[in-house]
Amino acid sequence: MLSYSNLEGRKSLYLMLDPELILSLFAEDLPKPEHWESRYPMRNLPPGAIVTRFGPSPTGFLHTGGVYTANVAKNLARHSGGVYFVRIEDTDQAREVAESRAQFASAFEFFSIQSDEDDETGQYGPYEQSKRSLIYHTYARDLLLRDQAYLCFCTREELTELTEKQQAAKVGSGYYGEWAICRHLSSDEVAQRLNAGKTYTVRFRSQGDESRRISFEDLIRGQIEMPENIHDIVLLKSSDQDPRLPTYHFAHAVDDHLMRVNVVLRGEEWISSVPVHLQLFKALGFDQIPYAHIAPLMKMDGTSRRKLSKRKDSEANVEYYISSGYPAGAVLHYLRGLANSRLAEMSFEESASAPIRLSDCGVAGPIFDLVKLGSISREFIAHLSVDEAFDGLMTWAQSYDPELVEILLADKDLTHRLLTLEREPGAIQRKDLAKWDEFRSVYGIYFASLFTPVMDPADPRFGKVEAEMVRSLARDFADGYQHTSDKDAWFEQIRALAAKHGFAPTAGVYKKAPQDFAGSISDVSNVIRIILTGLTQSPELFRVAQVIGREEVLRRAGSLA
Ligand code: GLU
């Protein structure tokens, strides 16, 4: 076998692929590179304008890390007078999940990361890779004609065999140098295989040398140095697919060039591919585009950190936030703060309009913590006006709890009163809601239709107060009930009830001589609390009574009396 180092010598031994043969592999009217270059001119943008893209693959739900990255990308474009667009990277059709696109669309809208351009409005489309196959074909043909690419007929089995041989020889695996079987086929050999109907991929003919190093400036990580790429990576996937689609690497180079992206913001898992990408840009004659590799969101798992994982963590799926009703503003505020910590210190309004700086993005992945998000979200909901909160709640409920919509609309005044309550200074329930799906458990007690009165005087929630006593307290409370808005007067009723039934007026008095009393006043309050709310711990009783109104107080007490 020829060694990698004398490959240059070998090159002159074989004839380059016959151009006619190459042309026969593509549509006759396939445009030349110049066509696409002029079809997609440089963008007419102010100096310093940043063009970013977000390229999710529709192979499952949108990852929270995707929203994180897209939000940074959109922010960079927005603050520089540039453009942010979404490109659906659907070249892996076998792994495509049918619902992904619809989920993406609603998630983009929810998190305000919609594309600035689409097939209708944008000049640089199509914005789905599967619709761009002609463009990739042009450049694949061009590389073939310039001998920067070749046809590879290796089957899956042959590739597996190759890996085994490489393992036995204790050399790095991959399709490179002397191991790259089809790299050395003559034009005749290629023609024979094509005539025999063999399928092929188009591979890059790497000119790399492992002993040389490349260096590039990452906008987040600074200068990075790595060995040159030597792998003849696949550019166009198997010829038996229709359409013949590109690999990620090839599509990245072609698309980001022609769509005139000027900052490639993407996950750090792509850093290792930069050497091959730099070679591809060079071979294609494209200007290099600056990279910004962003660190992934992490999670604490016990005492160790790991990537937030689609497989393990429900919070990695953006659907989780949408369906449980976190306001998008709260999630975005949190994500912005994780990207640039100075934004976490700002008010919601300030952070929403502040620029994110790539140089302030950390190199280590930030910890994504649901508890922290919960507390941010509580603050966020509490800071909304009553109308904004009502709209947020209704919008969520329309999709995820239609029954609640009916209930809220049937008692719109009550809903408003409740949301107002939470916003009053010194109110009892401030910041109790982190997400809208908590509304039922937090506010359900106020709605006649959501509240199930306690019917059994021996219910364990009444604790040590006996059933007969519970019944008498309920009856007397209902009989003499005064629905007053004077807080002291309202509580006077509880005090009178306690005195009448032999309960001590304070816990202190009770403690001194427990044998003299049926219990203390707190036992009476608890009975009334359970009657009115069903809860052993509840918001202030007086407030609850004010919100639900006289009739509902009597209905609840009456169910036991
Ligand atoms: N489709 C790629 C992914 O899902 C996008 C990477 C990139 O932004 O270049 O990871």
Side-chain angles (χ1 to χ4, degrees):
M1 227 182 227
L2 290 159
S3 76
Y4 178 61
S5 56
N6 67 11
L7 196 69
E8 291 304 306
R10 159 83 188 195
K11 230 178 148 182
S12 57
L13 295 179
Y14 73 99
L15 291 171
M16 271 177 53
L17 281 191
D18 176 0
E20 288 304 320
L21 187 144
I22 296 170
L23 294 176
S24 73
L25 303 174
F26 296 92
E28 225 170 286
D29 55 355
L30 184 66
K32 295 206 165 101
E34 301 78 67
H35 167 82
W36 301 116
E37 287 291 338
S38 60
R39 159 82 180 75
Y40 302 113
M42 297 305 284
R43 290 172 183 267
N44 190 7
L45 292 169
I50 299 179
V51 181
T52 53
R53 87 295 191 271
F54 174 51
S57 299
T59 51
F61 58 74
L62 191 62
H63 193 287
T64 308
V67 174
Y68 172 66
T69 307
N71 189 40
V72 175
K74 186 149 183 164
N75 183 292
L76 293 176
R78 187 67 63 259
H79 285 275
S80 62
V83 174
Y84 152 88
F85 65 85
V86 174
R87 180 175 67 222
I88 302 292
E89 308 216 327
D90 55 350
T91 58
D92 194 349
Q93 302 205 314
R95 285 181 54 226
E96 185 143 345
V97 173
E99 311 80 59
S100 295
R101 286 160 202 261
Q103 198 236 15
F104 284 1
S106 62
F108 293 161
E109 193 186 330
F110 186 79
F111 289 110
S112 308
I113 46 171
Q114 304 98 319
S115 189
D116 293 345
E117 298 178 340
D118 60 29
D119 286 348
E120 263 103 69
T121 62
Q123 301 302 307
Y124 292 84
Y127 293 83
E128 275 175 56
Q129 289 182 328
S130 59
K131 297 185 183 153
R132 301 172 64 82
S133 52
L134 274 193
I135 306 177
Y136 308 122
H137 291 185
T138 291
Y139 288 91
R141 185 183 64 183
D142 182 55
L143 289 177
L144 284 166
L145 287 169
R146 293 192 286 110
D147 201 28
Q148 306 255 22
Y150 60 91
L151 302 188
C152 172
F153 298 90
C154 286
T155 60
R156 209 175 286 268
E157 295 69 37
E158 283 167 324
L159 293 175
T160 312
E161 209 176 298
L162 175 68
T163 312
E164 285 163 7
K165 278 191 194 151
Q166 288 172 327
Q167 277 162 359
K170 296 198 174 15
V171 297
S173 56
Y175 209 84
Y176 63 92
E178 60 188 284
W179 300 96
I181 309 154
C182 297
R183 180 182 174 113
H184 313 295
L185 295 179
S186 68
S187 201
D188 284 348
E189 287 167 325
V190 168
Q192 271 166 20
R193 285 164 173 74
L194 288 173
N195 286 338
K198 286 197 154 205
T199 59
Y200 60 88
T201 59
V202 175
R203 280 191 189 268
F204 182 50
R205 189 185 292 284
S206 169
Q207 306 294 336
D209 178 338
E210 223 170 355
S211 64
R212 288 197 301 250
R213 293 180 77 77
I214 57 116
S215 160
F216 70 99
E217 165 88 13
D218 186 283
L219 299 177
I220 294 176
R221 285 147 201 275
Q223 207 64 27
I224 297 182
E225 240 193 70
M226 293 163 92
E228 267 186 14
N229 166 64
I230 57 164
H231 292 268
D232 289 354
I233 56 142
V234 173
L235 302 176
L236 274 193
K237 298 194 235 186
S238 181
S239 57
D240 61 357
Q241 304 279 309
D242 187 25
R244 255 183 296 171
L245 288 174
T247 54
Y248 166 77
H249 308 293
F250 191 42
H252 150 56
V254 171
D255 289 344
D256 286 332
H257 169 73
L258 289 178
M259 297 169 100
R260 308 299 176 185
V261 169
N262 61 18
V263 171
V264 171
L265 177 74
R266 62 182 180 184
E268 71 171 14
E269 67 275 19
W270 295 109
I271 293 183
S272 58
S273 303
V274 171
V276 69
H277 296 164
L278 296 186
Q279 283 180 341
L280 273 177
F281 275 81
K282 192 162 167 231
L284 288 160
F286 298 161
D287 287 338
Q288 189 51 54
I289 307 172
Y291 288 109
H293 289 98
I294 196 160
L297 297 178
M298 308 293 281
K299 175 178 169 115
M300 286 313 286
D301 197 350
T303 52
S304 54
R305 295 156 57 100
R306 63 165 173 79
K307 274 192 196 177
L308 194 62
S309 138
K310 269 193 178 193
R311 223 165 13 88
K312 298 187 195 150
D313 310 312
S314 54
E315 73 269 31
N317 182 350
V318 298
E319 195 59 38
Y320 166 77
Y321 308 95
I322 303 174
S323 63
S324 53
Y326 283 95
V331 181
L332 288 170
H333 177 82
Y334 184 43
L335 292 177
R336 282 194 293 266
L338 291 180
N340 276 187
S341 55
R342 72 174 210 291
L343 273 63
E345 311 301 320
M346 297 178 180
S347 69
F348 296 113
E349 286 74 18
E350 278 170 341
S351 92
S353 58
I356 292 178
R357 296 188 204 121
L358 286 177
S359 54
D360 289 353
C361 288
V363 171
I367 301 284
F368 185 90
D369 176 11
L370 266 188
V371 176
K372 179 76 188 156
L373 172 62
S375 72
I376 289 174
S377 197
R378 268 172 231 286
E379 297 281 345
F380 188 89
I381 290 184
H383 107 294
L384 296 176
S385 69
V386 172
D387 285 343
E388 286 167 338
F390 184 75
D391 285 350
L393 174 63
M394 289 296 275
T395 307
W396 168 80
Q398 265 146 16
S399 299
Y400 297 98
D401 191 350
E403 188 198 50
L404 185 63
V405 173
E406 301 300 312
I407 294 167
L408 297 178
L409 287 179
D411 222 334
K412 219 171 156 180
D413 280 356
L414 172 58
T415 313
H416 268 86
R417 246 180 301 150
L418 288 171
L419 294 171
T420 308
L421 251 193
E422 172 157 273
R423 280 153 186 81
E424 273 173 8
I428 29 165
Q429 284 210 314
R430 271 191 80 85
K431 300 177 190 166
D432 264 350
L433 286 180
K435 44 197 173 58
W436 301 122
D437 74 353
E438 292 169 356
F439 187 87
R440 275 178 183 257
S441 62
V442 174
Y443 290 119
I445 54 165
Y446 297 106
F447 290 83
S449 52
L450 292 177
F451 180 77
T452 316
V454 186
M455 308 294 282
D456 178 6
D459 189 290
R461 279 172 285 182
F462 291 117
K464 62 184 194 309
V465 183
E466 301 207 336
E468 245 342 278
M469 180 60 85
V470 167
R471 205 182 280 287
S472 307
L473 288 171
R475 190 176 305 128
D476 282 354
F477 178 72
D479 284 352
Y481 183 65
Q482 299 292 317
H483 192 65
T484 165
S485 59
D486 175 334
K487 190 169 161 179
D488 276 341
W490 196 91
F491 268 108
E492 194 45 46
Q493 304 179 77
I494 307 276
R495 280 191 277 273
L497 200 60
K500 177 172 174 196
H501 290 273
F503 288 82
T506 66
V509 170
Y510 173 68
K511 255 196 183 149
K512 277 188 201 138
Q515 70 284 358
D516 296 348
F517 298 101
S520 104
I521 187 160
S522 63
D523 297 316
V524 178
S525 307
N526 276 338
V527 169
I528 303 302
R529 180 183 318 284
I530 286 152
I531 291 172
L532 294 186
T533 70
L535 304 168
T536 48
Q537 283 188 325
S538 78
E540 206 180 0
L541 282 183
F542 164 71
R543 296 259 190 179
V544 174
Q546 296 306 304
V547 175
I548 62 179
R550 179 173 183 279
E551 263 173 55
E552 186 60 13
V553 169
L554 293 177
R555 180 179 81 96
R556 294 182 186 190
S559 65
L560 267 176

